[in-house]
Amino acid sequence: MSAAVSAALLFAAAPAFAQGVKIGVLNDQSGVYADYGGKWSVEAAKMAIEDFGGSVLGGKIELISADHQNKPDLGSSIARQWYDTDGVDMITELTTSSVALAVHELSKAKKKIDIVVGAATSRITGDSCHPHGFHWAYDTRALAVGTGGALTKAGGDSWFFLTADYAFGYQLEEDTAKIVTASGGKVLGAVKHPLNATDFASFLLQAQASKAKVVGLANAGNDTINSIKQAAEFGITSGGQKLAGLLTTLAEVHGLGLQAGQGLVVTEGYYWDNDAKSREFGERFMKRTGRMPNMIQAGTYSATLSYLKAVKAANSKDADAVARKLKELPVDDFFGQGGKVLANGRMVHDMYLFEVKKPSESKRPFDYYKKLATIPGEQAFFKLEDSGCKL
């Protein structure tokens, strides 16, 4: 065999020299969802890269980030530049469903991998699914099954929704309403509010007038914090109605404080004090940031680490090869213990139903939750055949 042929065979069997990969974290870093994900998600992605070893395919793992300001056109523009000019191989986090759906479509067209973590809409792995698109952490279906199903079965059988007026809010309301009615409850009405609202008075008065047992907050971030605080001012909970924070994470509870947040029922895919593995990550994150992670930040770590494992297993950063490995490999980390990825890109893992503690029950900072139930992943998320994905 000639030296030239030997060299050619050797080259074909190995990835191009010092390829590395480039990952982009695209989310809201200055607006209504800045605490919900924000720079804290960027830090979580950095931790995943460090824990992986900092290199893959013989080259360095690079991380860049940007603030999409919750604007789909801006998010798409940044993603396009990252893909076309900056050599980004995968985009993750993608808080805000309207932005996530826009970038998801662009990734489909560009044959690039996106792993949505921060956005909620179940459409990501439903009617908008594509071969290289993935959804980690949670979605509107899982939140609906958790909080919606639990409260309805506990006697909260009439609902009124306060809904953020964009894709995420619509889907969360729709998915929760289906679970409420399937559990024997009824929806008495709903009202939409603009993203990043400051005055919820008229919306809350409509909820109060409905006499619904449960006021479902189909919003997130500062919108959830503000609506809960103003609901207290209007005497909604003291009047006997229960607030359901349909997308409330540890970050929002921290922003509220336990005095205002106590008694809220929430659904998350991670809590730092769940078990030894969760505590280990939470404590490391706390040392770096001064706060405990919520499921978005923990999910961003898991998504980033899983992507890097798939690149290594594929021995390539080709989108087809990596997507196959993402769907083959188990998700074995503190976040998705026993997790698996379906053919539509949905990562299935257990979700948890929590109640926010009273101030007297909390023993240390961020000791905010008591666990009510574990929701098996197979119950929380759509089965593949029910998801609406045509893959």
Side-chain angles (χ1 to χ4, degrees):
M1 186 183 291
S2 71
V5 172
S6 297
L9 289 173
L10 182 63
F11 181 81
F17 177 72
Q19 283 189 43
V21 295
K22 196 168 188 178
I23 296 169
V25 174
L26 183 58
N27 63 3
D28 176 7
Q29 298 181 14
S30 59
V32 65
Y33 301 136
D35 275 349
Y36 166 87
K39 63 184 181 181
W40 317 113
S41 290
V42 178
E43 196 64 31
K46 287 180 185 175
M47 290 175 70
I49 291 168
E50 290 168 14
D51 288 352
F52 186 78
S55 64
V56 71
L57 303 180
K60 183 182 176 184
I61 301 164
E62 294 183 66
L63 181 72
I64 61 174
S65 68
D67 182 354
H68 60 47
Q69 300 175 34
N70 300 308
K71 298 174 182 176
D73 55 346
L74 178 59
S76 293
S77 176
I78 293 168
R80 189 178 296 277
Q81 179 179 319
W82 281 0
Y83 286 152
D84 292 348
T85 307
D86 298 337
V88 168
D89 299 293
M90 185 274 280
I91 297 177
T92 190
E93 221 274 40
L94 291 167
T95 299
T96 313
S97 291
S98 52
V99 178
L101 286 166
V103 174
H104 195 61
E105 282 300 307
L106 179 67
S107 301
K108 178 182 178 181
K110 297 285 185 182
K111 198 179 171 184
K112 292 281 191 174
I113 287 178
D114 64 276
I115 307 180
V116 176
V117 181
T121 179
S122 55
R123 291 186 58 203
I124 296 292
T125 51
D127 63 2
S128 294
C129 70
H130 69 78
H132 309 110
F134 297 84
H135 203 175
W136 240 247
Y138 78 110
D139 63 19
T140 49
R141 156 75 180 198
L143 299 176
V145 169
T147 309
L151 288 177
T152 304
K153 290 170 185 173
D157 56 6
S158 59
W159 285 65
F160 186 95
F161 290 97
L162 257 69
T163 302
D165 192 9
Y166 76 103
F168 148 66
Y170 310 152
Q171 196 67 53
L172 183 52
E173 180 189 324
E174 179 184 326
D175 285 352
T176 306
K178 287 177 180 176
I179 295 295
V180 167
T181 53
S183 301
K186 55 187 175 180
V187 176
L188 303 184
V191 61
K192 293 178 174 59
H193 69 77
L195 181 65
N196 206 15
T198 54
D199 184 2
F200 287 84
S202 64
F203 313 123
L204 289 165
L205 286 171
Q206 290 179 62
Q208 196 170 40
S210 75
K211 308 279 193 221
K213 292 179 183 177
V214 181
V215 178
L217 304 176
N219 53 20
N222 289 341
D223 283 338
T224 299
I225 293 171
N226 290 332
S227 50
I228 291 172
K229 286 180 176 177
Q230 291 175 40
E233 295 169 12
F234 283 96
I236 284 180
T237 51
S238 61
Q241 291 175 294
K242 191 167 187 67
L243 290 178
L246 295 170
L247 177 47
T248 303
T249 75
L250 197 73
E252 288 73 60
V253 174
H254 185 66
L256 271 173
L258 291 183
Q259 190 62 44
Q262 60 184 310
L264 268 177
V265 175
V266 305
T267 301
E268 285 214 57
Y270 165 86
Y271 178 48
W272 69 268
D273 204 19
N274 241 3
D275 53 39
K277 287 183 177 180
S278 299
R279 280 190 290 276
E280 190 273 335
F281 176 75
E283 296 289 358
R284 285 202 294 135
F285 191 88
M286 180 86 167
K287 284 179 182 176
R288 293 173 71 121
T289 66
R291 60 195 289 135
M292 286 293 183
N294 64 3
M295 69 172 167
I296 309 308
Q297 291 127 21
T300 300
Y301 175 100
S302 176
T304 304
L305 187 63
S306 293
Y307 171 74
L308 293 172
K309 287 179 177 177
V311 170
K312 182 179 179 180
N315 198 33
S316 169
K317 59 182 183 179
D318 172 75
D320 287 331
V322 175
R324 279 195 299 272
K325 287 299 178 183
L326 274 165
K327 293 169 185 176
E328 289 173 9
L329 297 173
V331 181
D332 185 23
D333 56 37
F334 69 87
F335 181 88
Q337 298 175 46
K340 61 182 179 182
V341 181
L342 303 182
N344 63 352
R346 173 69 258 172
M347 198 276 274
V348 174
H349 60 102
D350 291 348
M351 298 289 290
Y352 307 98
L353 189 70
F354 299 107
E355 183 177 304
V356 177
K357 291 182 174 182
K358 298 174 183 175
S360 60
E361 295 172 320
S362 179
K363 306 303 181 190
R364 57 172 287 189
F366 294 94
D367 176 22
Y368 294 160
Y369 289 166
K370 49 188 175 185
K371 184 159 53 174
L372 301 179
T374 297
I375 307 159
E378 290 75 15
Q379 293 178 23
F381 297 100
F382 280 119
K383 291 181 173 61
L384 189 61
E385 59 269 25
D386 299 328
S387 67
C389 176
K390 292 182 170 55
L391 285 180

